[in-house]
Amino acid sequence: MNNSDPTTSKHAPEVENEETDEALVIRAQAGDTSAYDALVTRHRGRIYAMIRQMIKNEADAWDLSQESFIKAWKALPRFEAKARFTTWLYRIAHNTVYDWVRRKRPESGGELNDEIFGEERIDPASMTTPNMERAPDDELVGGELRDKIEAALGQLSPQHREVVVLKDVQGLAYKEIAEVMDCSIGTVMSRLHYARQKLQTLLKDEYEAR
C-alpha cells in the first residue's frame, strides 16, 4: 500500500475477516496502513452506494468515495470511538458530498439543489417502496417500477432523500443518522415520516396494486 493514498490497494489484507472495525482502527491509528486498507475494502461498497444514490454521476461518485476515505485517513488520529467507525465514516462522506455540491453551485449560497440529486437508485425491495416480488424474467416490470420510484424521489428535498437512503437502503439506526446528518433524532424521525408519507402518496397506484 502506498502511504500517500491509502485507498488504492488491490488486495484485501487477511485480517479483513478476522478483526473488528475497532481493532483495525486502533492499528491504523498506530500507523498500520494495512489495517486501514482492510477498513477501506470492508466499507467502500456501502460508501460508494450512498454517494451514488445522492448524485447522478458514477465517475463523480467514485471520486467522492475516494476523497472521503482519504479525508478519513487524515482525520483518523482524531477519531475517539465515541461513535461507531461506520457512523463517523458516513458523516465524512455526507460532508464531502455537501462540500462538492457547494463548489459546483456557488451561486446557491450553500443550499443543495434538487437538480444535482436527481437520479437516486433505490432498491424496489426497500421498506419505503412497494413490496413487489420480481421474477427472474421480469426485468421490464422491475425497470418500470424503479423509474417510478426515482421519479417520486426526485420530488423530495435532498434532506428527505438522504434520510430515506440512510435508513431504508443503508440500514442505519436513527441515532447514527442523526450523527451523520448533524441533527436531532426527532428531526430524523420527522423527516423520515414525511418522506415515507410523500412516497406513499406519489406511489399510490403501486401500493394499491400489491
Side-chain angles (χ1 to χ4, degrees), residues 157-197:
S157 72
Q159 291 83 359
H160 288 106
R161 289 200 291 277
E162 184 175 11
V163 79
V164 169
V165 168
L166 292 175
K167 179 61 177 174
D168 291 341
V169 180
Q170 301 291 354
L172 270 65
Y174 290 116
K175 183 176 184 295
E176 293 176 303
I177 297 172
E179 292 172 1
V180 169
M181 300 187 71
D182 193 23
C183 63
S184 69
I185 292 177
T187 297
V188 170
M189 296 176 71
S190 175
R191 287 178 180 174
L192 188 61
H193 177 72
Y194 171 86
R196 285 172 170 169
Q197 282 196 324

Side-chain angles (χ1 to χ4, degrees), residues 54 98 111-115 117 120 153 156-164 181:
M54 293 173 68
Y98 275 50
E111 294 298 320
L112 294 173
N113 190 311
D114 277 0
E115 180 181 339
F117 290 80
E120 286 80 356
L153 282 164
L156 300 180
S157 72
Q159 291 83 359
H160 288 106
R161 289 200 291 277
E162 184 175 11
V163 79
V164 169
M181 300 187 71

